[in-house]
């Protein structure tokens, strides 16, 4: 098939997230349940009214029964899942090395009681 030299073929989009992400069962914050988390951001499931908007910077404390970690993040996207349930994509503001270590410790501690089939860990960034 000849498309000619003046035509541009579509390029498949690639995964924009470079670090691996991990399901984070048991991690919560004031916006709701953390669905998954990576070194650059997280996805949260929020139940209730949607007061938030993209571009807003929020200060949050990620919590498990055993640990707490304060972070700041920018709301990058919002998706309505169903009535009064939203998924929110947040990008962390630059994290200090000790915050990044704390982030992974928090995610691992929240998941330590899950079986291998429930734990969806991709890879820890280096």
């Amino acid at each position: 098939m000849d498309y000619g030299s003046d035509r541009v073929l579509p390029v498949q989009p690639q995964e924009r997230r470079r670090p691996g992400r991990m399901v984070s069962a048991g991690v919560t914050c004031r916006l709701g349940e953390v669905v998954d988390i990576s070194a650059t951001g997280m996805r949260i499931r929020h139940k209730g009214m949607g007061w938030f908007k993209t571009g807003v910077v929020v200060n949050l404390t990620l919590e498990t029964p055993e640990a707490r970690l304060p972070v700041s993040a920018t709301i990058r996207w919002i998706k309505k899942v169903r009535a009064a349930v939203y998924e929110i994509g947040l990008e962390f503001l630059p994290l200090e090395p000790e915050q990044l270590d704390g982030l992974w410790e928090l995610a691992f501690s929240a998941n330590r009681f899950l079986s291998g089939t429930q734990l969806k860990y991709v890879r820890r960034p280096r």
Side-chain angles (χ1 to χ4, degrees):
M1 183 178 286
D2 182 15
Y3 288 101
S5 60
D6 59 339
R7 290 189 125 174
V8 177
L9 297 177
V11 176
Q12 294 294 331
Q14 295 184 10
E15 171 94 20
R16 290 182 291 177
R17 183 181 299 103
R18 284 180 221 128
R21 62 183 151 174
M22 173 187 302
V23 170
S24 49
V27 180
T28 61
C29 67
R30 67 181 170 89
L31 291 180
E33 174 190 358
V34 178
V35 177
D36 63 41
I37 198 163
S38 77
T40 58
M42 62 186 165
R43 178 170 48 129
I44 294 175
R45 182 162 295 125
H46 173 81
K47 296 178 181 175
M49 298 302 293
W51 57 265
F52 33 78
K53 62 182 182 176
T54 58
V56 172
V57 173
V58 291
N59 296 314
L60 302 169
T61 300
L62 302 179
E63 298 182 59
T64 68
E66 299 171 343
R68 296 168 51 102
L69 179 71
V71 295
S72 296
T74 303
I75 297 174
R76 291 294 175 203
W77 56 265
I78 302 162
K79 175 182 167 188
K80 187 170 185 175
V81 178
R82 59 183 179 275
V85 178
Y86 298 85
E87 285 192 348
I88 306 167
L90 295 114
E91 179 182 14
F92 294 128
L93 296 183
L95 297 172
E96 297 295 325
E98 49 281 348
Q99 280 181 298
L100 187 57
D101 288 342
L103 184 68
W104 286 101
E105 288 173 20
L106 187 90
F108 276 113
S109 73
N111 287 320
R112 74 169 183 238
F113 297 111
L114 298 178
S115 71
T117 57
Q118 292 172 305
L119 185 61
K120 286 172 49 180
Y121 170 67
V122 180
R123 63 181 157 73
R124 182 177 176 169
R126 302 225 179 252

